Amino acid sequence: MHASDALTEADRLMTVCNSCRYCEGLCAVFPAMEMRRSFGDGDLNYLANLCHACGACYVDCQFSPPHEFNVNVPKTLAIVRAESWELYAWPGFLAGLFRRNGVAIALITAISVAAFLFLFMRAGDVAMVIPADAPASFYRIMPHNVMAGLFGGAFAFALLALVMSLRNFWLDIGEPVTTLAAPKPLWQAIRDASTLRYLDGGGVGCFNADERPDDRRRFYHHLTFYGFLLCFAATSVGTLYHYLLGREAPYPLWDLPVVLGTLGGVGLIVGPIGLARAKRQRLPDMVDKSRSGMDVAFILMLVLTSVSGLALLALRSTPAMSGLLALHLGIVFALFVTLPYSRFVHGLYRFAALVRYAREREVHR
Amino acid sequence: MTHASVDVLVIGGGNAGLCAAIAARRAGASVHVVEAAPKFYRGGNTRHTRNMRCAHDSATEILSGPYTEAEFYEDLLRVTQGNTNEDLARLMIRESKDILNWIVDQGVRWQPSLGGTLSLGRTNSFFLGGGRAMLNALYLTAEKLGVTFAYDSEVVDLELEGGYCRAAIIKQPDGSQRIEAKAVVAAAGGFEANIDWLKEAWGPSAENFLIRGTPYNRGTLLKMLIDKGVAEVGDPTQCHAVAIDARAPKFDGGIITRLDCVVFGIVVNNRAERFYDEGEDIWPKRYAIWGRLVAQQPDQIAYILFDAPSLNLFMPSLFPPIEAPTIPALAEKLGLDSAGLEATVSAFNTAVRPGTFDDKVLDDCRTEGLTPPKSHWARKIETAPFYAYPVRPGITFTYLGVRVDGDARMQMADGKAAENLFAAGEIMAGNVLGRGYAAGIGMTIGSVFGRIAGREAASHARQ
């Protein structure tokens, strides 16, 4: 017996697929399936998170609907995957944030932005009239230590929640902890994840409603992911500047935090928008439409983070600065605290699944 | 009725039809493909295929070693027991070498042999993603080249006289269409889904056959061509049949209903009696005889029986085996006579001689003093739980076809060559494959003769 209808259906499909195996060259899911003969919930959750949803197995399948065997692996695994994220969420009572995710994230963001605006106004009649081009003006509005404490706290919470969720996943799929410390599978997974090796539809790209596969999703995902990393790097460099070199923001345009942040910010605008567009062009039959709110919410958060950050950079010497700062900080704060309950987690579990897959490949060879 | 005209009309949208369409279009002809099935089911049995047998002189990225023309021809002679046209067979094998690359140029991608098919790693190239992936690639390429398609379009008549075909009448959901063509390529498969036709050869027992592939291979075009004077080739009473899970759907169950466990147990009919040596030879060499063997049993059904140690020795299949703690309980679940099944199993167990079991070779585990014997892999069926798969004959394809020459041009019954009629694929496979089968040959016939037919049809249309 399985814990949900989707898991029961996934079990049925894996039995069909395991008797066929035509798709074993397409991605990691089918070779991983072939290493098993029966599929428990943990196995299915592992396979679901290993799936990159390229869609190749759906259009290649002789048994996909309207065939009576009704084999729809990408959609079924998408549902199982999303359900598994709820299952692993930590603390458990926040799992509900995954349901009606768009509404939840919009609310948290609005509250967070409003709170920053309120704080700023309270702190100051003084702060609001400070000439924006004065050095370190950000920190006149909000002292650096307060800002660092607030965001450090939010970040630490997100990190803790993600680590605990990952732990739940790892226990569920029944993999020993030692695997995460083995260098070879880890390195293999880093390579597979950083190139999105399995988002290539077996070589031709993702499958779309117009029957012409292309590699757009991989391209825009790269922009998004590496844009995110660059922004993260910008923040990290800024923090180092502050504490090690005693150099305070705002930094000049040519300086590393600004350059990294700007490049990353552009990636974080073009990437998510491109992904949203590519998503609309996918074959509707294999998409789990019931959860598109989660995708939209995450894409929107990334774009808003980036747009507000770049706007702040462009207008930091104008009276709009303090309002924009509140907006940007509010969005980033909301992004951080909702990270463990957003579409973001797909990367975490997929990476972990890739580590496990790399280890399994070693053992089975 | 609407009217249209085209240089080359291709009837049938499988591997052979698409290769013909692409080759004809590349040679400059305008090409239209009519496919009897709806879009999802397009491509006939190509949807269910997974590999192609091509000759090659050295190992490739996906093939583990050379497979020479001579070796391919020997294999063909062996499986057909000489029932082949040597000129056409040698032509096909020669051309297959180039097809290995040509098909890639048409967008098809290869991969190494699939898990569980290691024995084919040297001779057969597998389609990445299987036959439907291959079809999708061919359709996309043909579409980009400007070939047009019509689905749900069955040919119901040909204006064919004295080896010249002027037009075809196509029945479509919203009416009918007359298409004039300068040349016609027939690539519409065999008649394995036409139960009435199968009954002509097999009698009423054909009602109990399962059709492994497309329900659309009804042989309409084949019958039409033969009736209008095209020469036939191949034995009309023969079809390729294997034993598949009796619980499979009537049509289109495909690969996942196959069972590879005959050699691990015994096979009984519905009188609980064994009827053939289950361990005669290694499975890939013998799996194709079991369809016929089961077809000859009462009610065309049989049961593969084995016990716990054998459960995981073969590829999994769609339906789980029927399971019971004792042989009589299993008999009850299968609707067989309990005492009879117990007697059969115990007679078998008594006859088993000690040996060293090895399913990779012809081992020394055999029975003694048993009729029929089990010559290899005979192990006592004694460890609960006991398992059974019910099996029925599953028809893969038929052998009857139209006669062609080396240009894939149809030959008329009066000995003359047809003027503008060409054939490729299963509808003419009997020229090369008079009987038997070797994995991947159907696709070789389709691609090789498809390309030839398309090229020749385009050349005829130009004149």
Side-chain angles (χ1 to χ4, degrees):
Chain A
M1 282 310 287
H2 292 288
S4 77
D5 291 349
L7 284 163
T8 307
E9 172 65 0
D11 187 6
R12 181 186 78 87
L13 295 190
M14 289 301 101
T15 307
V16 172
C17 296
N18 213 7
S19 344
C20 171
R21 304 190 171 184
Y22 285 14
C23 289
E24 76 171 25
L26 294 178
C27 68
V29 172
F30 299 98
M33 167 198 78
E34 287 180 23
M35 296 172 198
R36 300 166 163 75
R37 275 212 171 218
S38 59
F39 303 91
D41 286 359
D43 297 317
L44 294 166
N45 286 331
Y46 158 59
L47 294 174
N49 281 289
L50 195 54
C51 167
H52 290 49
C54 73
C57 65
Y58 181 79
V59 294
D60 289 354
C61 181
Q62 64 271 41
F63 305 123
S64 56
H67 194 283
E68 63 187 283
F69 291 161
N70 193 28
V71 174
N72 191 338
V73 174
K75 184 172 178 174
T76 306
L77 292 191
I79 298 171
V80 170
R81 192 160 56 235
E83 287 180 357
S84 78
W85 300 344
E86 276 185 46
L87 183 70
Y88 304 138
W90 184 93
F93 69 87
L94 289 179
L97 288 177
F98 275 111
R99 266 166 275 155
R100 299 177 57 85
N101 190 257
V103 178
I105 288 187
L107 264 176
I108 292 169
T109 310
I111 291 170
S112 154
V113 170
F116 275 95
L117 276 172
F118 181 72
L119 268 176
F120 285 12
M121 287 204 278
R122 284 284 302 245
D125 301 329
V126 195
M128 286 311 206
V129 295
I130 287 172
D133 54 352
S137 57
F138 293 158
Y139 305 131
R140 294 249 193 124
I141 298 177
M142 181 176 240
H144 183 269
N145 285 344
V146 176
M147 204 188 278
L150 208 53
F151 282 84
F155 185 69
F157 165 74
L159 205 61
L160 176 68
L162 288 170
V163 167
M164 294 307 286
S165 305
L166 183 63
R167 182 172 173 272
N168 288 338
F169 172 64
W170 210 248
L171 288 174
D172 184 42
I173 66 174
E175 185 70 13
V177 178
T178 48
T179 303
L180 280 175
K184 266 173 81 182
L186 208 57
W187 175 235
Q188 183 64 47
I190 289 172
R191 279 166 39 192
D192 294 345
S194 61
T195 55
L196 293 177
R197 175 172 174 191
Y198 298 113
L199 192 64
D200 74 343
V204 292
C206 288
F207 286 77
N208 301 312
D210 66 2
E211 298 179 6
R212 292 176 185 232
D214 65 51
D215 230 0
R216 274 180 301 205
R217 275 175 80 210
R218 189 150 67 150
F219 174 73
Y220 288 121
H221 193 288
H222 279 326
L223 287 186
T224 308
F225 176 68
Y226 291 105
F228 189 87
L229 282 191
L230 284 174
C231 290
F232 194 73
T235 310
S236 308
V237 172
T239 308
L240 292 179
Y241 274 13
H242 188 93
Y243 287 112
L244 292 184
L245 306 179
R247 290 180 54 192
E248 291 195 358
Y251 302 107
L253 290 182
W254 49 261
D255 211 346
L256 205 50
V258 180
V259 172
L260 291 174
T262 308
L263 283 178
V266 172
L268 263 188
I269 293 175
V270 181
I273 291 175
L275 276 176
R277 265 193 62 210
K279 200 161 196 62
R280 278 215 312 276
Q281 288 155 346
R282 297 189 66 203
L283 199 60
D285 310 6
M286 60 189 187
V287 177
D288 171 25
K289 290 184 211 82
S290 67
R291 285 178 180 79
S292 50
M294 189 189 314
D295 301 347
V296 175
F298 189 54
I299 282 173
L300 213 60
M301 285 306 284
L302 292 176
V303 174
L304 285 177
T305 303
S306 185
V307 169
S308 62
L310 289 174
L312 184 61
L313 176 67
L315 303 176
R316 63 185 183 183
S317 305
T318 73
M321 186 274 273
S322 57
L324 281 171
L325 183 63
L327 182 69
H328 183 60
L329 293 182
I331 292 167
V332 173
F333 188 83
L335 178 73
F336 273 5
V337 295
T338 59
L339 224 43
Y341 316 101
S342 74
R343 186 69 159 82
F344 173 82
V345 299
H346 80 278
L348 183 73
Y349 297 126
R350 188 153 303 146
F351 179 75
L354 283 168
V355 175
R356 194 223 205 159
Y357 176 65
R359 206 270 310 160
E360 284 187 329
R361 288 289 290 229
E362 266 182 18
V363 174
H364 275 257
R365 201 159 276 158
Chain B
M1 176 136 56
T2 59
H3 296 265
S5 71
V6 69
D7 289 343
V8 175
L9 177 68
V10 177
I11 304 169
N15 166 40
L18 267 290
C19 286
I22 289 171
R25 184 71 193 118
R26 287 200 189 279
S30 65
V31 182
H32 185 62
V33 179
V34 288
E35 162 66 54
K39 187 170 177 189
F40 172 78
Y41 285 100
R42 72 185 181 187
N45 284 337
T46 302
R47 293 171 66 250
H48 291 288
T49 64
R50 59 185 186 187
N51 63 64
M52 190 187 286
R53 184 179 290 254
C54 292
H56 48 276
D57 291 327
S58 54
T60 72
E61 262 176 53
I62 52 123
L63 290 158
S64 60
Y67 185 52
T68 62
E69 289 183 44
E71 190 184 352
F72 193 160
Y73 187 66
E74 275 166 35
D75 284 343
L76 185 65
L77 276 186
R78 185 172 44 77
V79 298
T80 60
Q81 299 174 8
N83 262 299
T84 185
N85 174 323
E86 180 171 351
D87 291 342
L88 290 179
R90 289 197 186 275
L91 166 74
M92 178 192 82
I93 291 168
R94 195 164 59 244
E95 291 258 323
S96 76
K97 284 176 147 174
D98 186 48
I99 282 289
L100 207 48
N101 302 315
W102 184 82
I103 208 82
V104 171
D105 295 338
Q106 315 315 317
V108 175
R109 294 167 298 152
W110 299 122
Q111 66 160 74
S113 67
L114 296 174
T117 62
L118 279 182
S119 57
L120 299 172
R122 184 173 63 87
T123 54
N124 288 42
S125 305
F126 283 68
F127 310 126
L128 182 65
R132 192 166 167 227
M134 185 239 195
L135 264 180
N136 290 344
L138 292 181
Y139 269 91
L140 187 57
T141 299
E143 196 189 315
K144 284 178 178 166
L145 288 170
V147 174
T148 56
F149 305 98
Y151 300 107
D152 294 300
S153 299
E154 188 179 14
V155 172
V156 289
D157 199 12
L158 289 173
E159 293 176 17
L160 196 172
E161 235 173 292
Y164 180 77
C165 183
R166 180 175 304 279
I169 311 298
I170 321 288
K171 195 181 87 189
Q172 289 171 326
D174 51 353
S176 50
Q177 189 182 27
R178 178 178 179 275
I179 302 180
E180 268 188 35
K182 292 176 183 158
V184 173
V185 177
F191 63 92
E192 58 274 11
N194 187 330
I195 307 287
D196 289 335
W197 196 340
L198 291 177
K199 277 201 230 159
E200 285 176 24
W202 290 81
S205 70
E207 285 287 358
N208 286 328
F209 292 180
L210 302 172
I211 317 305
R212 301 184 67 201
T214 177
Y216 297 93
N217 277 8
R218 293 180 289 248
T220 322
L221 185 67
L222 175 62
K223 184 156 260 172
M224 211 178 292
L225 290 166
I226 292 171
D227 287 349
K228 288 178 188 282
V230 177
E232 59 175 67
V233 70
D235 187 339
T237 68
Q238 294 299 307
C239 57
H240 182 265
V242 303
I244 63 168
D245 200 305
R247 297 164 290 183
K250 184 76 178 172
F251 295 102
D252 221 49
I255 189 87
I256 64 179
T257 57
R258 71 157 167 357
L259 292 166
D260 296 335
C261 52
V262 164
V263 294
F264 298 109
I266 59 171
V267 184
V268 300
N269 57 22
N270 64 5
R271 302 190 180 151
E273 291 161 351
R274 291 175 62 246
F275 52 88
Y276 197 82
D277 182 351
E278 299 90 349
E280 190 181 37
D281 205 341
I282 59 164
W283 183 238
K285 289 190 182 175
R286 279 295 170 269
Y287 83 108
I289 67 170
W290 281 89
R292 181 168 303 271
L293 289 170
V294 176
Q296 288 157 353
Q297 299 310 307
D299 304 322
Q300 293 72 51
I301 191 152
Y303 304 87
I304 308 171
L305 258 60
F306 57 95
D307 62 353
S310 297
L311 183 63
N312 289 332
L313 295 180
F314 50 92
M315 274 274 290
S317 81
L318 177 62
F319 300 101
I322 295 162
E323 182 185 331
T326 63
I327 293 291
L330 189 62
E332 199 168 310
K333 278 191 170 175
L334 300 175
L336 300 179
D337 175 45
S338 292
L341 191 62
E342 239 188 329
T344 300
V345 171
S346 77
F348 170 77
N349 286 347
T350 312
V352 169
R353 295 297 107 209
T356 312
F357 179 81
D358 183 349
D359 60 336
K360 304 287 179 294
V361 298
L362 295 171
D363 71 3
D364 60 351
C365 295
R366 58 188 180 80
T367 58
E368 220 170 76
L370 189 70
T371 312
K374 184 173 178 187
S375 312
H376 304 282
W377 312 294
R379 292 192 295 178
K380 288 183 181 175
I381 300 175
E382 56 186 4
T383 312
F386 300 96
Y387 299 98
Y389 284 106
V391 290
R392 284 198 184 279
I395 311 297
T396 318
F397 62 87
T398 49
Y399 289 94
L400 176 70
V402 292
R403 188 178 293 281
V404 299
D405 66 9
D407 288 341
R409 188 185 299 268
M410 286 185 213
Q411 307 296 298
M412 304 306 288
D414 62 12
K416 292 199 193 99
E419 201 179 326
N420 65 342
L421 275 170
F422 303 84
E426 189 184 338
I427 202 168
M428 50 65 69
N431 288 274
V432 177
L433 198 66
R435 61 175 299 168
Y437 189 63
I441 281 194
M443 294 302 276
T444 317
I445 295 173
S447 288
V448 167
F449 286 98
R451 182 169 71 153
I452 294 174
R455 194 173 62 209
E456 295 303 319
S459 144
H460 179 85
R462 262 202 308 276
Q463 283 162 19

